[in-house]
Amino acid sequence: MRKTAYFLLVFCSFWFCKAQNQLWKGYFSYSDVRDLAESETRIYAACETAVFSKHLSTNEIKTMNTVDGLSGQVISSIFHSTSTNRTFIGHENGLLIMINEQTGAISLLVGIRDQTGGIPPNKKKINDIYEFNQKLYISCDFGLVEFKLTDFTFGDTFYISPTGSQTEVLQTTVLDNQLYAVTKNFGIRRGDLSNPNLINFNAWQTFDGGFWSNITTFNNQLVAINANNIVYRFNGSTPVQVVALGQPGIDIRGRNANLIITTNNRVYVFNESFGQTTLIAQNQIQEIDSNFTSATIINSTIFIGTENNGVVEVSLSNLSQQTILLPQGPSRNNIFSINIAPSGTLWAAYGDYSQFNNPYPLDSYGISKFSNEEWLNIPYEELLGAKSIVRITVNPNDENQVYASSYFSGLLKLENDAVTTLYNNLNSGLESLVLAGNPSYVDIRVEQSAFDKNGNLWVSNGLIAKMIKVLRANGEWQSYDISSVLSGFTSNNRMSVDKNGTKWLATLDEGVIAFNENYNNKILKIAEGQNEGNLPSNAVQAVTIDNRNQLWIGTRRGLRILSSVDRFINQDELTTSSIIINDEGLAQELLFGQFITDIAVDGSNNKWVGTSDSGVFLFSSNGQQTIYRFTTSNSPLPSNTINDIEINGITGEVFIATAKGMVSFKGTSTKPKDNLKDVYVYPNPVRPGFEGTVKVSGLTSKANVKITDIEGNLVHEVISEGGTIEWDTKAFGKYKVASGVYMIFISTDDALDTTVKKVMIIR
């Protein structure tokens, strides 16, 4: 039986031009190193969804992520071809990315990823990449794929099991023109590369029928690791033991005169006579506490990839001489929530819960702070044992005071980046949920917290009757029972406090709860159903108050708006409405049925809406216009699963946290200023080839902006919504203006304040 798989080769140029790329920034974690590769000048580290490298002479660190052209998919392997000066990145979904190191060009090779032919999507993982005689042999979960370096096209696919069925190929090597492949279930299989019919599974033989995990060629011999964690070299077909590892071997490679073997916490180095020359144990590496993943040697230096600490560089002549290679970034890619303080400092939390608000299994992650282009990662060991940190809240009156909500342990207080207090059921008004028959069980589920204008910190304490807690500015705690409007004690998702002091709480299955203690502890509920509030679902994910005091509500089945938060004060029932838009002549409900994860409001009152699987939408202030829709296919978003969105009101940078990394978009989301003294224009000058927009920032709300040529001819006029406007450098949107100096005349809404700026355009 003969099987042939025909692979489509697609060179996907990056989706957006360089000018658009300048609007995006990537904030990825580089701590989780999956694989290492090396060239004559650089060491490459493949991380979860990004890559970094170090130049061996200059020590320059270069990072690559989705903003640079990577896919955001989970990386499984990396290989550098010295013969072509190209780096290849393999992914768990079968995508192969090729990077031309000379030009920087990136090609997405989708042949494996998009191949059908009965290959399940979860069986396309690229496990290893090996080069021989101008070909790459790519080990996949379904078989072995050939890639030709002569013309950069896919070649044959080999199904090498004894029956020709699909089988997981873990690693390959070549010795004496024989291609050896370690399979998961059929031992080491061997094929003669001079056989023109190698695509036929009958051309393959079993070299060794045992269970093996890794294989390489070293000093003209095969070396492999078996399932009993023993390394053997083959003298012909006879295995000779090299070393018993005592734990699973996860990486083996021969580099010049060195054989390098990696386990979870040891790296072994052998010489050409298979004598052990170096053993590096995890406890010998300073300041790291994570497992090893891979290792390689360049000259007299060994580079060790780790799960949580990047790459460790160790001198073979002096093992105490160690350097940690770890680019700036958050400690993890899957950021559950973010918070931006008024000054622009960003905080990130990694703990989470399921769609049913179940925090188990509990997470033991730290938290991160991004300020002045520097990341501070505070480890779990400094968080007083608080599990599943899900939200961060910064005191707007004192940004050195930060609160972290734990969905199991209570509320952490940090001052000057150091934890000072863990509030729980023993030292605060917080309460644990009660389990029948287990009175000693402690589970304090605190989610979002928010400050009111008086400096009081309001906290939602889930699954208890007195769900709403407040830590007064004077240090006293107080609780409020809202069980009168709940059919059962409910979990909480988000909280917002409006200008009247009303607390709006999003709940898992009880809709939206509104509470204000200043109006006789008034409580109202907005729920599903025409007579209960008109929500499309009681599972509410987001409650956000916009710049016009409207309440935007995101649920798991769509969007609703409460026309004014003031209605809480004057009415006893609250009803929301949907947004109806004109879609090609048909009336449609905006975001009908969409699982909305978050809503953020920018300085122009536009709405950034995150979804569970459809990326990010930017809508105009009333929702009638879709300004942008970003997905993985048209932007650097690493995932369409959006966890959180926050906006830096000073710079206008929109931070988008996803399940696979965080990126930001620099648009016009700045808050309006009180005057025009800080107006600035960028870029300035506009140089040839620039395809973006000119931005005028530092504006007041409803400022009038007129742009004329040097002779006074008007080419653009606009009224600002927020603190920034954009100009596409066209005369009223029709044609690009010529080279020259253009005048920008700006006046406030009342015309009492004016300023004039200039911008030079060079075509």
Side-chain angles (χ1 to χ4, degrees), residues 263-528:
T263 70
N264 281 337
N265 52 38
R266 295 189 191 98
V267 176
Y268 299 80
V269 182
F270 296 85
N271 60 23
E272 290 179 306
S273 300
F274 292 95
Q276 182 176 308
T277 59
T278 305
L279 173 61
I280 301 177
Q282 182 186 24
N283 57 15
Q284 293 176 264
I285 306 298
Q286 304 167 11
E287 299 180 6
I288 76 163
D289 57 357
S290 63
N291 290 336
F292 300 156
T293 60
S294 54
T296 193
I297 291 176
I298 306 176
N299 300 324
S300 60
T301 302
I302 186 166
F303 296 87
I304 305 172
T306 73
E307 289 182 351
N308 298 312
N309 297 97
V311 175
V312 182
E313 181 179 344
V314 183
S315 170
L316 286 174
S317 60
N318 182 3
L319 298 185
S320 64
Q321 186 177 327
Q322 303 170 0
T323 304
I324 295 178
L325 307 179
L326 181 59
Q328 283 279 320
S331 59
R332 292 173 56 82
N333 279 320
N334 190 359
I335 299 176
F336 187 71
S337 70
I338 50 180
N339 178 280
I340 297 180
S343 67
T345 297
L346 180 145
W347 288 84
Y350 307 99
D352 59 11
Y353 43 69
S354 72
Q355 63 175 327
F356 304 107
N357 288 35
N358 179 8
Y360 289 92
L362 299 174
D363 296 316
S364 300
Y365 302 139
I367 57 178
S368 298
K369 174 186 178 181
F370 180 66
S371 178
N372 298 320
E373 300 300 317
E374 295 284 335
W375 283 93
L376 170 66
N377 293 311
I378 303 173
Y380 167 76
E381 289 72 20
E382 298 181 15
L383 301 186
L384 304 181
K387 304 279 189 180
S388 297
I389 303 294
V390 294
R391 301 286 168 193
I392 306 291
T393 303
V394 179
N395 187 340
N397 301 315
D398 180 5
E399 290 193 15
N400 292 319
Q401 191 178 93
V402 177
Y403 292 85
S405 303
S406 164
Y407 212 62
F408 178 78
S409 307
L411 183 69
L412 275 175
K413 181 180 180 181
L414 293 83
E415 294 188 274
N416 298 311
D417 304 332
V419 177
T420 61
T421 310
L422 174 60
Y423 292 109
N424 54 32
N425 58 318
L426 301 178
N427 62 356
S428 72
L430 299 176
E431 298 177 65
S432 170
L433 60 87
V434 177
L435 289 185
N438 190 359
S440 61
Y441 179 76
V442 177
D443 185 342
I444 307 167
R445 301 195 178 186
V446 176
E447 222 275 7
Q448 185 74 294
S449 56
F451 280 90
D452 64 18
K453 60 185 178 182
N454 297 316
N456 302 312
L457 179 65
W458 291 86
V459 176
S460 54
N461 189 174
L463 298 177
I464 62 169
K466 296 181 179 180
M467 177 192 242
I468 297 181
K469 312 287 186 182
V470 58
L471 175 59
R472 301 283 181 191
N474 62 9
E476 295 181 356
W477 284 86
Q478 192 170 352
S479 301
Y480 295 92
D481 190 333
I482 61 172
S483 60
S484 61
V485 298
L486 302 177
S487 58
F489 302 148
T490 186
S491 298
N492 45 285
N493 287 328
R494 306 284 181 95
M495 177 195 294
S496 291
V497 181
D498 69 20
K499 62 184 178 67
N500 303 314
T502 302
K503 274 61 70 177
W504 301 88
L505 283 76
T507 71
L508 170 65
D509 52 12
E510 295 274 1
V512 176
I513 306 299
F515 170 79
N516 195 319
E517 76 284 5
N518 297 316
Y519 294 87
N520 296 319
N521 292 340
K522 183 177 180 180
I523 307 171
L524 294 179
K525 180 179 179 180
I526 307 173
E528 186 177 354

Side-chain angles (χ1 to χ4, degrees), residues 702-744:
K702 298 182 180 180
N704 179 263
V705 181
K706 294 182 179 180
I707 303 176
T708 73
D709 61 21
I710 200 66
E711 296 177 351
N713 298 307
L714 185 67
V715 296
H716 186 71
E717 183 174 11
V718 67
I719 302 297
S720 67
E721 286 277 351
T724 302
I725 65 101
E726 292 181 281
W727 176 40
D728 59 6
T729 70
K730 293 181 179 179
F732 295 103
K734 295 180 180 180
Y735 56 87
K736 288 186 177 181
V737 297
S739 296
V741 175
Y742 289 81
M743 310 299 295
I744 305 174

